[in-house]
Amino acid sequence: MELRIHDKTFSSWIDRGEIAATVKELAVKIRADYPNQRLLLICVMKGSLVFFSDLMRSLDGEMEMAFISASSYQGTHSSGIVQVHARSELGIKGKHCLLIEDIVDSGLTIQALEELLWKEEPACLDIATLLFKPDAFKGNKRPKFIGKEIPDRFVVGYGMDYNELGRNLPDIYQLKL
Ligand code: IMP
Ligand code: MG
């Protein structure tokens, strides 16, 4: 199926069934690595909101949640500058923290957030991302938990946007070239 968002055409790509299976698998992997710990899941707003809410409900055991709002994208490309706009007040010192990202592209966003949050002395801080674009990644450490690797194509849906639209689509769509 194709749809129009602003000036661009997108075609359907990863359906809700595949997304749900990927999220459940990821939750099991995460819990296997932290069998008894209380986890603090940190949602990187706004893109991760939908993934975050599904992931937390698939995760067994104790968890807390926090929110941080960051942005770097303009249109279909990274601006190269990461801005942190706001965050919830829950402290992270001494906690087992997991940053939850919708998609890791250049890696700049997670790098900036990791630098910021490590200063607050968490017990540990790892990254879980639904999607990962290895060909676009410029960082030196891959996210610890990856749902699915994808080619370097711009996507929308399941929380992810093109200039703020498309976040409410239940499936993931890719930009038509
Ligand atoms: P990075 O800093 O280049 O790794 O980009 C990460 C952030 O940019 C993600 O958290 C998304 O919010 C956004 N982003 C990256 N790639 C895409 C995409 O293909 N579609 C929508 N948003 C994206
Ligand atoms: Mg994001």
Side-chain angles (χ1 to χ4, degrees):
M1 200 191 89
E2 291 192 351
L3 54 86
R4 225 30 216 165
I5 301 176
H6 294 300
D7 58 335
K8 300 205 186 306
T9 306
F10 292 82
S11 43
S12 55
W13 187 28
I14 309 172
D15 69 32
R16 61 201 79 182
E18 186 179 345
I19 298 171
T22 305
V23 173
K24 287 211 170 72
E25 243 173 70
L26 213 45
V28 170
K29 271 191 211 152
I30 291 168
R31 197 36 102 190
D33 268 35
Y34 310 95
N36 303 307
Q37 284 92 337
R38 176 184 299 169
L39 288 171
L40 174 61
L41 300 194
I42 305 171
C43 176
V44 183
M45 302 278 270
K46 296 178 262 191
S48 304
L49 179 67
V50 180
F51 170 47
F52 181 86
S53 73
D54 283 342
L55 183 73
M56 61 172 265
R57 285 175 293 167
S58 299
L59 198 71
D60 295 329
E62 291 190 342
M63 62 143 295
E64 297 176 292
M65 61 166 101
F67 299 90
I68 191 158
S69 174
S71 67
S72 61
Y73 251 63
Q74 279 167 352
T76 58
H77 290 95
S78 172
S79 67
I81 300 159
V82 181
Q83 284 178 292
V84 174
H85 308 288
R87 54 182 290 189
S88 59
E89 57 199 29
L90 196 59
I92 68 167
K93 191 169 175 165
K95 295 188 176 174
H96 294 85
C97 300
L98 201 55
L99 266 177
I100 310 298
E101 260 291 26
D102 47 355
I103 182 163
V104 173
D105 180 271
S106 68
L108 276 175
T109 304
I110 50 168
Q111 190 190 315
L113 293 177
E114 278 191 287
E115 270 169 29
L116 184 81
L117 296 174
W118 269 119
K119 291 186 188 136
E120 299 175 27
E121 301 173 14
C124 63
L125 178 64
D126 286 310
I127 314 289
T129 185
L130 177 67
L131 301 177
F132 179 58
K133 295 181 188 169
D135 298 336
F137 188 61
K138 297 191 190 78
N140 41 28
K141 199 175 100 226
R142 286 162 54 98
K144 182 166 183 181
F145 302 101
I146 293 171
K148 187 178 168 69
E149 291 195 3
I150 63 165
D152 191 3
R153 297 282 293 273
F154 187 76
V155 296
V156 294
Y158 196 67
M160 292 170 282
D161 71 306
Y162 167 44
N163 282 342
E164 295 302 328
L165 296 184
R167 296 190 194 276
N168 54 329
L169 296 164
D171 304 305
I172 294 173
Y173 292 71
Q174 65 175 320
L175 179 63
K176 219 177 151 209
L177 297 177

